[in-house]
Amino acid sequence: MKAALKPRINLDGRTALETVIPLSTPIVLFIDPSSTCNFQCTFCPTGDRALIKETGRWQGAMRWEVFQKTIDDLHDFERPLKVLRLYKEGEPLLNKRLPDMIRYAKDSGCVEYIDTTTNGFLLSPDMSHRLLDAGLDRINISVDGMSSQQYWEFTKTRVDFDSFVENIRYLHEHSGSCEVCVKIPGDILSEDDKERFFATFGDICDRIFIENFAPCWPEFDVEAYTGVDISIGIYGNEIREVETCPYIFYSISVNSDGSVSLCFLDWARRLTVGDVRQQSLRKIWTGDALFEHQLAHLRGQRRENPTCAGCGQLSHCLPDNIDPYAAELADRLVAARRRAAA
């Protein structure tokens, strides 16, 4: 197998958050090109059409002018973003202008690295060339079965599995400097399936891993929807919880309608802190709503928020641990706020 057996999360060379909080510029920005998905996976709230309808969440592809304005707003920050993630809760390739988005962000000079995550269903050779030519740095492909039948059972979508594999092979053969990562939830696989997964994809990607389901979507019971008993972390790690969410100190998420969420897992829009159609991204990043959430977490009040209270991302997904520095960081956050207001 040529691919590295390595999870999609980058654990090497990470910034020690306790040394840089508060950040004048976010490290990671999520932008959701499309909040809809062509799959109906059991582990994901977007796949439950009735559930999404109940929330009243706007569904659709991000309008070009909203994306353009968001990227233009990055010029207001002191330094470029380290990472732009062009995905959140939908299928990015449902936005036909995804390659244009990549190119526009690259040409802005405000983004160092761009990745996306896709189910790969629409990853034709033509689309692969468009993504690669636009300057995509990494593509994470979620494999959701090891046969057409498994795809139907798990995603309620008819997928020609052999064609799907060939499209990934084509992408990898032409990928150049773009890293191709392939992952699959091991909870749906037999041991034979796992062996076939590595045999099928191990030579046609750069990074490969079998993940586990994790209860990371707030107020969405993955165990109830999938019937899987989740007893280990997403990467096979031991379950260990942190009290302070680190993600809200270095990342922020622009939803497909232009609303801005505190959290990249905010599928039901319970944690919105602004709207790029009405405010600059920098104003949202330095605004009262985000500050109040951050301070509450540092003061041990995360569980008072019903959406954040049962967050499985903080127990199952290897978050950075800034708990030992919480009191110090709270003082630092308040002091910086006072200086900015003076």
Side-chain angles (χ1 to χ4, degrees):
M1 185 173 75
K2 297 177 182 177
L5 183 60
K6 191 175 182 181
R8 56 189 158 130
I9 184 174
N10 287 324
L11 297 173
D12 301 326
R14 294 179 69 83
T15 299
L17 290 178
E18 66 273 12
T19 67
V20 295
I21 293 173
L23 284 159
S24 59
T25 305
I27 294 174
V28 178
L29 173 65
F30 288 82
I31 298 180
D32 199 10
S34 171
S35 55
T36 59
C37 189
N38 46 353
F39 283 10
Q40 298 181 63
C41 301
T42 55
F43 71 92
C44 174
T46 300
D48 189 325
R49 308 285 165 78
L51 178 64
I52 294 300
K53 188 175 181 180
E54 287 176 12
T55 68
R57 185 181 97 184
W58 184 82
Q59 294 284 89
M62 176 177 280
R63 298 199 316 272
W64 173 254
E65 57 269 25
V66 175
F67 177 81
Q68 190 176 42
K69 194 265 183 184
T70 304
I71 297 301
D72 291 348
D73 279 356
L74 297 178
H75 290 281
D76 296 336
F77 289 102
E78 292 182 5
R79 56 181 62 87
L81 284 174
K82 287 188 177 294
V83 181
L84 172 63
R85 301 221 144 107
L86 288 175
Y87 65 93
K88 184 174 179 278
E89 59 218 13
E91 169 49 48
L93 290 177
L94 288 175
N95 190 316
K96 296 180 181 179
R97 299 205 67 176
L98 180 63
D100 298 327
M101 292 176 163
I102 296 166
R103 189 180 302 279
Y104 190 83
K106 278 284 185 176
D107 290 346
S108 72
C110 296
V111 177
E112 295 180 359
Y113 184 93
I114 302 176
D115 66 22
T116 192
T117 295
T118 173
N119 59 39
F121 182 77
L122 298 173
L123 200 60
S124 64
D126 176 67
M127 177 54 73
S128 291
H129 282 295
R130 292 179 62 202
L131 296 172
L132 297 170
D133 291 346
L136 186 64
D137 293 294
R138 188 167 95 173
I139 182 167
N140 303 304
I141 302 171
S142 300
V143 177
D144 295 311
M146 286 304 300
S147 68
S148 298
Q149 179 59 33
Q150 282 186 354
Y151 260 91
W152 173 249
E153 293 170 0
F154 190 57
T155 73
K156 297 298 181 288
T157 307
R158 299 295 183 189
V159 175
D160 184 328
F161 183 72
D162 292 337
S163 295
F164 173 79
V165 172
E166 287 309 306
N167 283 338
I168 295 178
R169 185 189 309 278
Y170 186 91
L171 169 68
H172 185 248
E173 288 174 351
H174 297 83
S175 59
S177 61
C178 178
E179 184 180 23
V180 178
C181 303
V182 173
K183 63 185 181 69
I184 194 170
D187 310 84
I188 66 171
L189 302 178
S190 67
E191 290 305 312
D192 286 344
D193 286 332
K194 292 176 182 178
E195 291 182 13
R196 286 199 301 118
F197 170 68
F198 288 121
T200 302
F201 296 101
D203 289 337
I204 58 173
C205 63
D206 303 300
R207 187 187 299 205
I208 193 168
F209 205 76
I210 296 177
E211 298 182 353
N212 303 298
F213 289 141
C216 22
W217 300 106
E219 302 175 318
F220 181 81
D221 191 339
V222 174
E223 290 185 330
Y225 273 85
T226 63
V228 173
D229 179 23
I230 300 173
S231 57
I232 57 174
I234 189 172
Y235 306 116
N237 50 292
E238 182 181 348
I239 296 173
R240 292 180 179 178
E241 189 157 13
V242 301
E243 282 302 314
T244 310
C245 175
Y247 303 100
I248 63 175
F249 294 92
Y250 71 86
S251 68
I252 199 165
S253 303
V254 181
N255 300 310
S256 61
D257 62 353
S259 62
V260 178
S261 286
L262 169 78
C263 174
F264 62 98
L265 296 168
D266 182 29
W267 64 274
R269 308 292 186 269
R270 312 280 194 219
L271 300 169
T272 54
V273 292
D275 194 314
V276 294
R277 293 168 296 183
Q278 302 167 8
Q279 305 156 280
S280 74
L281 191 60
R282 185 176 183 276
K283 187 171 183 179
I284 297 169
W285 178 250
T286 59
D288 291 340
L290 180 58
F291 168 77
E292 288 166 4
H293 278 287
Q294 291 174 334
L295 193 59
H297 278 241
L298 292 172
R299 288 178 171 170
Q301 299 165 353
R302 169 173 69 87
R303 296 178 189 274
E304 295 178 17
N305 184 310
T307 302
C308 298
C311 179
Q313 182 75 16
L314 301 185
S315 55
H316 290 66
C317 300
L318 296 177
D320 299 284
N321 184 6
I322 56 174
D323 286 351
Y325 313 96
E328 173 193 344
L329 292 175
D331 291 342
R332 197 188 302 171
L333 204 69
V334 171
R337 193 75 174 174
R338 287 173 178 164
R339 287 194 300 271

